[in-house]
Amino acid sequence: KGGRQKQDGAKMASGHTAGLLSADDFIKEDRKIREAQKEADKELGDKQEETVYRDKKGRKLDMLNEFMRQQAIREGKAVEEAKEEKEWGK
């Protein structure tokens, strides 16, 4: 078409061919790139990791264990307070 030659090696960061392209060539190439990206996303879908939470110092926090530990501390305090009330109420 029109005497234009494609440069096989020149690609942009997006994956598109660099240089002047016709609208039809660009649309075809864009569809191929999007399909390839969808396939890559499907493959990674099962491998995604859970979010890692960190404290102010950058240490990892295990949210469930932290919650359970804090809840146990609260329950322990409540039990101690109940015992104190019983002792005072004799």
Side-chain angles (χ1 to χ4, degrees), residues 32-67:
K32 289 180 186 177
I33 291 170
R34 288 178 189 254
E35 288 174 11
Q37 185 64 38
K38 284 182 185 179
E39 290 297 321
D41 288 345
K42 285 181 184 177
E43 290 175 9
L44 291 176
D46 297 335
K47 298 179 184 179
Q48 290 184 355
E49 298 291 327
E50 292 185 24
T51 303
V52 175
Y53 295 97
R54 297 183 182 267
D55 64 2
K56 289 181 181 180
K57 295 181 181 179
R59 296 177 297 200
K60 289 183 182 180
L61 291 178
D62 185 8
M63 295 304 287
L64 181 59
N65 287 338
E66 183 70 20
F67 174 75

Side-chain angles (χ1 to χ4, degrees), residues 6-85:
K6 291 186 180 180
Q7 297 176 349
D8 292 332
K11 296 280 184 180
M12 296 187 292
S14 64
H16 294 93
T17 303
L20 186 61
L21 297 173
S22 68
D24 292 334
D25 290 341
F26 181 81
I27 291 171
K28 288 177 188 176
E29 187 175 9
D30 190 51
R31 285 185 186 146
K32 289 180 186 177
I33 291 170
R34 288 178 189 254
E35 288 174 11
Q37 185 64 38
K38 284 182 185 179
E39 290 297 321
D41 288 345
K42 285 181 184 177
E43 290 175 9
L44 291 176
D46 297 335
K47 298 179 184 179
Q48 290 184 355
E49 298 291 327
E50 292 185 24
T51 303
V52 175
Y53 295 97
R54 297 183 182 267
D55 64 2
K56 289 181 181 180
K57 295 181 181 179
R59 296 177 297 200
K60 289 183 182 180
L61 291 178
D62 185 8
M63 295 304 287
L64 181 59
N65 287 338
E66 183 70 20
F67 174 75
M68 297 299 284
R69 185 182 66 81
Q70 290 177 357
Q71 188 173 5
I73 290 171
R74 284 189 206 116
E75 289 174 359
K77 287 181 181 178
V79 169
E80 288 177 18
E81 289 174 2
K83 286 181 183 178
E84 288 178 13
E85 286 179 20

